[in-house]
Amino acid sequence: MLGHSTFVLRRIVAVIPVLVGIITIAFVVSRIIPGDPARVAAGPSASQETIDRIRDEFGLDDPWYAQYLDFWSGLLQGDLGRSIITGKDVTADIAEYFPATLELTLAALLIGSLSGIVLGVIAARRAGTWTDRFLQLFAMTNIGVPQFWLALLLQILASMTGLLPVTGRLSAATAPPPSITGMYTVDALLAGDVGTFFEALGHLLLPSIALAAILTGIVMRVTRANMLDVVSRDYIMNAQVAAGLGPRLVFYKYALKNAMIPVVSTIGLNFGFLLSGSLLVETVFNWAGIGLYTTTAAVSQDFQPILAGVLVAGAAYVILNLITDVSYGVLDPRIRKESA
Amino acid sequence: MAVDVAETRAASRLRPSESQREFFSLLLKNPVTVAALILLFVIGVVAVFAHQIAPYPEDATGATNLSERLQGPSWAHPFGTDQLGRDVFSRVLIGAQTSLTSGMIPILVSAAIGLPAGAIAGYYGGWIDSAIMRVTDVLISLPRLVLAIAIGAALGPSLENAMLALIIVWTPFYVRMIYGQAKSLRQEVYVEAARALGVPSWKIILRHILPNCASTMIVVFTMDLGFGILTMASLGFVGVGAQPPSPEWGAAVAEGRSAMPDWWWISVFPGAAICLVVVIFNVLGEGLRDALDPHARK
Amino acid sequence: MSVTDPNVESPTDTLVSIRDLHVKFKTWRGMVHALRGVDLDIAPGEVLGVIGESGSGKSASARALVRALTTRPGIVGGRILFKGEDVLKLSDRQFRRLRGREVTMVSQDPSSSLNPVFTVRQQLRDVIVRSPIRREHEGKSRGRDWVEAVAREELRQVGLPNVERVLDSYPHQLSGGMRQRVLIAIALINRPSLLIADEPTTALDVTVQAEILRLLRRLAHERELAVMFISHDLGVVSQLCDRVVVMYAGRVVESASIEDMYRRPVHPYTRALLALTANDWVDRRLVEIPGDTPDMIEVPNGCAFHPRCPDARPECGERHPEPEVVGGGHWVECPPQVAARRGLQVNGGPLPGAEA
């Protein structure tokens, strides 16, 4: 499908200036920190010599354009500096914490989308009834509930009932499975370790529900609205009047496929909420991902990790929008024709 | 084709009295919206008179009462007390003042800056258009909360800095929102007619473009007031917004974390307040949308 | 051809018999009385033309027949008999036996009637596997092949040239005429007794129009299919139909064979329509029917056409005109004209408005 590949290529090229912009913003943000980060890093009792050494090491005295270029060269070499607090390479930190966030986000994406679609279809089928009204209120609550508060509520519930674990990715006694993807659930499955798999899953469940809530609400509303819209279209009536197809087939096959097209892009557009939410949810559940890493750094004004966090979020967002754009073409045959 | 000036004026303005009456009747028809309006009013009143209403207002400004620490909800303390013996109910009430204002003001400022900027970009086109679009393109590519936390942290954890961060992060969205509408409205017949008649651009923007974007703007703005409060609370929770001992709701939830899960009320009630307010604004926004454009929803 | 007289109870051999059908729907301005007592018969295998302006109620009649009215309250009175059974008394479930199977419909706009995200093949398959054709093929061939073969045959029958390409296509890849043919094919898979065609050629080019009309005529005759052909264009109808009814303001005002309608029209509205078709210009002035179509919220008293009628009498605005038979299978709702004709016939001499 040659037409399809130019479509994808053009989208990718359009994204590059945005990435450059994001990187620049991240740089600006990390450098507007007032006060002396070197002093903060060195500690209150450090000598001037130590402080100077740190300043030199981090290039804090160089003019801003030198720092910017330095920053770029470092980036392109994969060097994101070092965390003043942990002392480790930020790149290494990111690599270590990234899979956890990925695991959490994917789980939330799955839970949020599926529950949203199912509930949206139910609400549309029963439009106007009390079920529908209740579901709409439910969706609205999901969108408005503070993610960190929901996470806390789930924690309280789990603690009181003792059903599910409330912190971390695995209990302290369990060793993580051999790392292939870095995602404990997937790795455990790949290693055939069913016990660890279920334990990792149990730890994953509550945080991903807390993270998914807002997505459930949004997807549900969009699905419901689209289903109701599609159901009033001519081809739906035609299917029943000209072809005699039954209402269930018409609703769940003919209408649904059409209604789903905007849902995919909705999920893509609202991916940002998952990224933001991961910061909060990881903090509450002590989930060792990039969110927790970034918020810890934020409170201590450790600027390299903050910068890295922004970069990762921006890159993820951009990539996801790209995927969404492309998948739109897969779902709606009319779009494919336009870009060919 | 000569364009009748009177017709131009008429087309560009909604017939005031007729549509206003219709609007209010539609708005008040929905019982859920009415409930939201009433609740909002009540909350507003409570927030204004929080110091008078709260049973232990001093608990919100630094007083501690260690002999009464960690007590569960009771008649004396409807929301219980926290680790320092402070009455959670009073703190929630007085915290409303901080949470509500610090959440809503940045949204107002963002709208005040963003709407004109977007209207200008969309209307004038040319290099202003491209410049503003490139900048906002990048800014909206970052999730708002992430960027706000980063900026808030960079500026230094404080309430004022968090509000500034929120403004920086939110404005691009308003710019983009009105940009699209301004651009398409520019093609409308009555706008071209006005330009042909020599009406100055700023007047056109003010009297023709902005009012026609009004309905979407109002709905989004209303819901954003709620989301602004939510984001400020999130910043407070993370630690880059309001700082303890401020009774700001997000910070209060964070303070209560160490007492979890046994003394759950310390975190739960401030969080519930946030949730309630946000949902109310959302419901209100929905009601406004239905009232302003009844054909938009089935 | 059966004699159809609305004053007579529905003849037993007729396929469709509509009696005194009333349809109302609520608009923000008031209650629209869209159908005000429609009487209509369709014989098996008959091609009936339904003529009228927009707002006359022709589309509403069709939609009422298939119970596809979307506005409230909808059908508020009357009977619709299909093969002797009152369709309005059936439950939704029972009615689904008929709709899309015994009675199908092809609409005006082919571009929106096909599902855009499925190929033609997929849409045909869904209908074929549930159709009576299935019984003919079950057990005969192996597996899925028979559906494909049937699909190809059905498309060939409606005159589509490269069937393979059409089957593989999505609706937006086909031209308007091709889409309309596909829709007709779909409508006929279940071998209905009645096909309702609601202005199926209005959205198409004139050349394509002629082809579709020929197609419909051929199919009607080959398959003994009754067709209810709705149009505003008398010229189109004359090419296709055996019999015609003329609708005005929610009622059928005249019903006759196509020949009678052209040779001996009685109702002033019908005569005006024929004059329009014959020549657009008379004495260098554009021919038109004076006045406006009536407001269906407040219909004029008596005969709905009387404010525009050149031969109106005082009683036309007072009493509602009853239908009267003027000949074999020809009835009309215009007592003054009928009386005039009877008078003239008795006295001899040419009938007014007759075409030579």
Side-chain angles (χ1 to χ4, degrees):
Chain A
M1 277 197 283
L2 190 63
H4 215 213
S5 13
T6 40
F7 173 71
V8 173
L9 217 65
R10 274 193 280 127
R11 288 282 184 279
I12 292 180
V13 167
V15 147
I16 292 177
V18 176
L19 280 173
V20 171
I22 292 176
I23 292 172
T24 310
I25 288 187
F27 173 75
V28 166
V29 167
S30 69
R31 291 305 192 263
I32 59 176
I33 295 177
D36 190 356
R39 178 169 291 279
V40 171
S45 55
S47 65
Q48 187 61 39
E49 208 180 272
T50 325
I51 295 175
D52 287 337
R53 186 167 48 80
I54 295 179
R55 290 189 78 87
D56 194 44
E57 198 182 318
F58 283 101
L60 295 172
D61 281 327
D62 300 338
W64 67 267
Y65 45 85
Q67 291 194 40
Y68 187 56
L69 285 168
D70 209 32
F71 177 64
W72 266 102
S73 75
L75 241 188
L76 292 169
Q77 289 171 32
D79 176 16
L80 283 165
R82 280 205 295 155
S83 163
I84 295 178
I85 294 180
T86 67
K88 291 197 292 176
D89 264 335
V90 171
T91 322
D93 281 340
I94 298 273
E96 186 184 330
Y97 295 125
F98 182 73
T101 303
L102 187 65
E103 186 180 26
L104 181 61
T105 312
L106 285 176
L109 201 62
L110 200 66
I111 294 177
S113 313
L114 284 179
S115 62
I117 291 175
V118 167
L119 290 176
V121 169
I122 295 176
R125 193 100 179 99
R126 311 220 179 294
T129 62
W130 282 108
T131 317
D132 178 30
R133 266 182 256 242
F134 170 72
L135 283 174
Q136 289 197 64
L137 192 62
F138 178 68
M140 201 168 293
T141 314
N142 273 17
I143 296 176
V145 74
Q147 282 166 309
F148 57 89
W149 186 63
L150 180 63
L152 285 171
L153 285 181
L154 289 171
Q155 267 193 331
I156 295 172
L157 208 66
S159 293
M160 287 186 175
T161 56
L163 275 177
L164 285 166
V166 291
T167 54
R169 305 176 64 197
L170 284 175
S171 75
T174 319
S179 171
I180 305 175
T181 61
M183 299 192 275
Y184 290 170
T185 44
V186 175
D187 288 343
L189 270 181
L190 290 174
D193 186 349
V194 181
T196 310
F197 170 70
F198 277 111
E199 200 186 313
L201 197 66
H203 281 261
L204 183 61
L205 196 64
L206 289 180
S208 39
I209 291 177
L211 193 56
I214 198 170
L215 194 64
T216 305
I218 294 175
V219 169
M220 200 207 98
R221 298 182 66 206
V222 171
T223 304
R224 177 188 177 280
N226 283 336
M227 285 299 285
L228 289 178
D229 175 43
V230 166
V231 150
S232 69
R233 299 269 177 89
D234 282 346
Y235 51 82
I236 295 296
M237 187 182 85
N238 194 68
Q240 296 179 293
V241 167
L245 298 178
R248 229 173 261 134
L249 175 74
V250 167
F251 190 78
Y252 290 112
K253 183 175 173 185
Y254 276 51
L256 193 60
K257 192 169 179 200
N258 277 278
M260 280 303 103
I261 297 170
V263 171
V264 173
S265 75
T266 303
I267 294 177
L269 280 174
N270 288 293
F271 186 66
F273 286 121
L274 286 181
L275 290 175
S276 305
S278 69
L279 284 175
L280 302 168
V281 170
E282 286 185 17
T283 309
V284 171
F285 282 98
N286 215 21
W287 188 269
I290 298 191
L292 182 57
Y293 182 62
T294 312
T295 41
T296 320
V299 183
S300 326
Q301 293 192 283
D302 185 358
F303 66 85
Q304 295 292 119
I306 296 175
L307 184 159
V310 170
L311 280 177
V312 170
Y317 201 53
V318 159
I319 291 175
L320 207 89
N321 279 337
L322 191 64
I323 296 178
T324 310
D325 257 348
V326 170
S327 66
Y328 217 73
V330 169
L331 275 179
D332 189 347
R334 294 169 283 186
I335 306 268
R336 278 186 245 161
K337 180 188 181 181
E338 277 165 34
S339 56
Chain B
M1 181 170 61
V3 179
D4 188 336
V5 176
E7 196 187 342
T8 304
R9 287 219 200 94
S12 71
R13 238 189 297 133
L14 318 159
R15 284 165 293 277
S17 52
E18 186 183 293
S19 57
Q20 262 176 26
R21 247 183 288 126
E22 204 184 310
F23 165 73
F24 278 115
S25 77
L26 274 170
L27 187 68
L28 298 173
K29 233 195 229 174
N30 186 349
V32 186
T33 313
V34 174
L37 270 168
I38 295 177
L39 271 173
L40 191 64
F41 180 69
V42 168
I43 291 176
V45 168
V46 165
V48 167
F49 295 107
H51 282 275
Q52 284 79 357
I53 301 176
Y56 303 91
E58 64 278 6
D59 283 357
T61 45
T64 62
N65 199 345
L66 288 166
S67 59
E68 300 205 4
R69 55 196 298 263
L70 298 173
Q71 292 183 0
S74 63
W75 282 115
H77 298 282
F79 289 173
T81 61
D82 66 5
Q83 304 97 316
L84 296 177
R86 299 177 293 192
D87 176 38
V88 177
F89 183 62
S90 305
R91 284 177 60 82
V92 168
L93 287 182
I94 296 179
Q97 294 181 334
T98 318
S99 288
L100 293 175
T101 48
S102 71
M104 294 198 290
I105 291 175
I107 303 297
L108 276 157
V109 174
S110 297
I113 302 176
L115 295 182
I120 290 173
Y123 182 77
Y124 281 109
W127 66 269
I128 298 185
D129 181 335
S130 317
I132 294 187
M133 279 311 110
R134 291 303 135 244
V135 172
T136 54
D137 249 345
V138 175
L139 284 170
I140 65 169
S141 300
L142 291 159
R144 275 178 269 197
L145 185 63
V146 175
L147 191 56
I149 289 180
I151 297 178
L155 293 173
S158 82
L159 187 65
E160 295 74 25
N161 287 341
M163 288 170 71
L164 183 60
L166 202 62
I167 293 174
I168 295 175
V169 151
W170 219 274
T171 309
F173 280 87
Y174 282 119
V175 173
R176 292 291 279 227
M177 208 182 358
I178 199 172
Y179 168 76
Q181 300 215 24
K183 207 163 191 174
S184 65
L185 281 174
R186 192 176 189 276
Q187 327 277 11
E188 293 277 340
V189 177
Y190 56 87
V191 172
E192 292 201 17
R195 289 175 68 216
L197 289 170
V199 179
S201 297
W202 63 268
K203 240 191 196 169
I204 296 182
I205 294 179
L206 210 59
R207 295 184 69 225
H208 294 283
I209 307 243
L210 283 179
N212 276 293
C213 308
S215 48
T216 5
M217 294 300 126
I218 291 178
V219 173
V220 173
F221 180 72
T222 305
M223 300 212 246
D224 273 356
L225 285 175
F227 290 128
I229 294 171
L230 180 58
T231 313
M232 276 306 291
S234 305
L235 291 175
F237 175 78
V238 165
V240 296
Q243 299 293 308
S246 168
E248 194 271 322
W249 291 335
V253 173
E255 273 194 87
R257 274 191 73 201
S258 55
M260 289 266 285
D262 301 305
W263 302 284
W264 50 269
W265 47 88
I266 309 173
S267 287
V268 167
F269 286 112
I274 305 172
C275 185
L276 181 67
V277 168
V278 177
V279 171
I280 287 177
F281 274 111
N282 275 2
V283 169
L284 208 55
E286 286 289 318
L288 280 170
R289 179 192 294 151
D290 289 342
L292 282 168
D293 191 4
H295 309 291
R297 266 235 279 197
K298 292 276 163 35
Chain C
M1 215 171 310
S2 51
V3 175
T4 47
D5 179 342
N7 293 327
V8 171
E9 277 304 300
S10 313
T12 43
D13 60 341
T14 208
L15 186 65
V16 174
S17 185
I18 302 177
R19 287 285 178 270
D20 199 34
L21 185 64
H22 287 262
V23 165
K24 287 189 183 176
F25 54 87
K26 202 158 188 260
T27 63
W28 59 281
R29 280 183 54 228
M31 186 71 86
V32 171
H33 199 167
L35 298 183
R36 304 182 302 119
V38 170
D39 298 313
L40 193 91
D41 289 320
I42 308 178
E46 175 178 52
V47 182
L48 176 75
V50 179
I51 290 289
E53 301 169 318
S54 38
S56 57
K58 51 193 203 300
S59 286
S61 306
R63 289 180 148 222
L65 232 177
V66 288
R67 278 163 62 162
L69 290 168
T70 48
T71 42
R72 300 247 169 277
I75 302 174
V76 294
R79 279 190 336 236
I80 301 179
L81 298 183
F82 185 80
K83 289 188 178 168
E85 209 178 358
D86 189 348
V87 145
L88 297 178
K89 292 209 169 64
L90 295 177
S91 72
D92 278 342
R93 211 197 186 108
Q94 290 167 317
F95 184 65
R96 267 186 259 133
R97 267 192 295 115
L98 299 174
R99 178 172 64 193
R101 297 178 178 274
E102 296 267 11
V103 182
T104 61
M105 189 156 125
V106 175
S107 315
Q108 179 171 346
D109 187 3
S111 63
S112 58
S113 295
L114 286 169
N115 198 325
V117 298
F118 291 113
T119 59
V120 171
R121 174 181 279 112
Q122 288 168 310
Q123 300 191 47
L124 280 175
R125 289 192 83 93
D126 281 331
V127 190
I128 293 173
V129 301
R130 291 170 177 80
S131 73
I133 307 178
R134 188 186 75 233
R135 272 173 247 126
E136 293 169 23
H137 291 255
E138 240 162 13
K140 250 202 251 170
S141 3
R142 357 113 200 75
R144 302 155 66 90
D145 293 278
W146 72 269
V147 176
E148 186 73 14
V150 169
R152 277 197 222 115
E153 179 59 26
E154 295 296 313
L155 287 185
R156 259 199 342 100
Q157 285 284 318
V158 294
L160 280 167
N162 31 12
V163 169
E164 264 320 302
R165 207 206 79 164
V166 171
L167 280 173
D168 286 330
S169 306
Y170 286 95
H172 67 272
Q173 295 169 311
L174 301 174
S175 72
M178 291 165 86
R179 275 182 233 158
Q180 196 63 290
R181 289 181 198 263
V182 169
L183 284 165
I184 294 173
I186 290 178
L188 295 180
I189 289 177
N190 283 324
R191 303 290 184 256
S193 332
L194 171 67
L195 172 70
I196 304 174
D198 189 353
E199 304 213 46
T201 55
T202 310
L204 303 171
D205 296 333
V206 178
T207 40
V208 181
Q209 246 187 52
E211 288 169 16
I212 300 288
L213 289 175
R214 250 179 285 139
L215 171 66
L216 283 174
R217 196 168 56 215
R218 175 169 64 81
L219 289 169
H221 287 154
E222 277 176 12
R223 303 187 184 198
E224 290 207 12
L225 175 69
V227 177
M228 180 175 165
F229 191 92
I230 299 170
S231 180
H232 59 274
D233 190 341
L234 261 176
V236 162
V237 160
S238 67
Q239 295 175 50
L240 180 63
C241 303
D242 306 320
R243 207 156 57 82
V244 180
V245 298
V246 178
M247 285 191 70
Y248 188 80
R251 284 187 69 87
V252 175
V253 296
E254 187 158 6
S255 167
S257 68
I258 194 80
E259 199 180 279
D260 273 352
M261 193 63 80
Y262 270 86
R263 299 270 179 87
R264 290 174 280 270
V266 177
H267 198 285
Y269 178 62
T270 315
R271 300 213 310 271
L273 279 182
L274 282 167
L276 284 179
T277 325
N279 24 23
D280 291 323
W281 297 84
V282 168
D283 299 337
R284 283 191 273 127
R285 268 178 297 142
L286 190 63
V287 173
E288 56 170 13
I289 305 177
D292 290 320
T293 48
D295 183 344
M296 295 308 286
I297 293 176
E298 297 202 25
V299 188
N301 279 333
C303 168
F305 187 63
H306 86 264
R308 308 166 74 184
C309 181
D311 302 314
R313 310 276 166 78
E315 62 263 27
C316 292
E318 288 159 25
R319 267 177 298 124
H320 183 83
E322 289 302 312
E324 292 168 279
V325 180
V326 289
H330 186 167
W331 59 264
V332 81
E333 274 186 2
C334 190
Q337 290 295 325
V338 175
R341 263 153 194 65
R342 293 226 181 91
L344 279 170
Q345 277 181 306
V346 163
N347 298 334
L351 296 167
E355 310 272 283

